[in-house]
Amino acid sequence: MIETTTPAEATVLRGFAAFATQDMDTLGVVFHPDVVWIHHNDDRFKGAKTGWPAVAAFFGESGELTQGTLRVEPQTTMSAGDLVTVLAHVTATRPDGRRLDDRQVLVFRLEDGRAVQVDQYIGEPAAVAAFWA
């Protein structure tokens, strides 16, 4: 478990814990209703998802495609005010045997204790695109 140093980091890590247990109620509190999640890679999930329902659908689709094997484990955090950067280890498998093992950087911007924007940067863009193809 990562030791948090700020309330913003604690909020973000609460979101990671909720994602791990598919706790959509907690995720709905961590993420602002108008959150924007930007997936910076040229694959099926590329671009911005605007609003909590769109982000929840993104989470749901990625979980369905991996039959529940998707894991996003925060390795370290760093924050400055309401910006929190997380280095995460992302793993999953697809039913056809494809495997994902990627280090990613997620940058969260919080307002009033809720995530209003997330930028997701992929470690190995081509490998991740092939995994989601």
Side-chain angles (χ1 to χ4, degrees):
M1 183 77 171
I2 296 174
E3 184 175 320
T4 62
T5 59
T6 69
E9 287 176 300
T11 296
V12 168
L13 291 174
R14 181 177 174 213
F16 277 93
F19 182 85
T21 61
Q22 300 175 7
D23 179 353
M24 299 306 280
D25 291 335
T26 297
L27 287 169
V29 172
V30 169
F31 290 101
H32 189 278
D34 298 323
V35 64
V36 176
W37 185 294
I38 305 168
H39 180 85
H40 295 275
N41 199 38
D42 190 18
D43 60 48
R44 79 183 306 130
F45 295 121
K46 70 181 172 185
K49 290 104 189 104
T50 303
W52 169 239
V55 173
F58 160 57
F59 291 170
E61 183 179 358
S62 59
E64 286 175 25
L65 290 169
T66 61
Q67 294 185 328
T69 65
L70 180 64
R71 300 289 177 264
V72 183
E73 299 174 356
Q75 304 295 294
T76 189
T77 62
M78 173 173 119
S79 64
D82 283 336
L83 287 177
V84 178
T85 302
V86 179
L87 174 62
H89 184 206
V90 182
T91 59
T93 58
R94 296 284 298 270
D96 64 6
R98 284 180 278 172
R99 295 191 177 283
L100 175 64
D101 187 348
D102 195 50
R103 301 273 194 254
Q104 300 184 5
V105 173
L106 296 103
V107 180
F108 292 78
R109 185 169 59 86
L110 282 71
E111 288 180 8
D112 298 324
R114 298 178 86 179
V116 295
Q117 182 171 330
V118 181
D119 284 275
Q120 179 183 10
Y121 297 96
I122 307 304
E124 299 202 27
V128 172
F131 178 78
W132 291 120

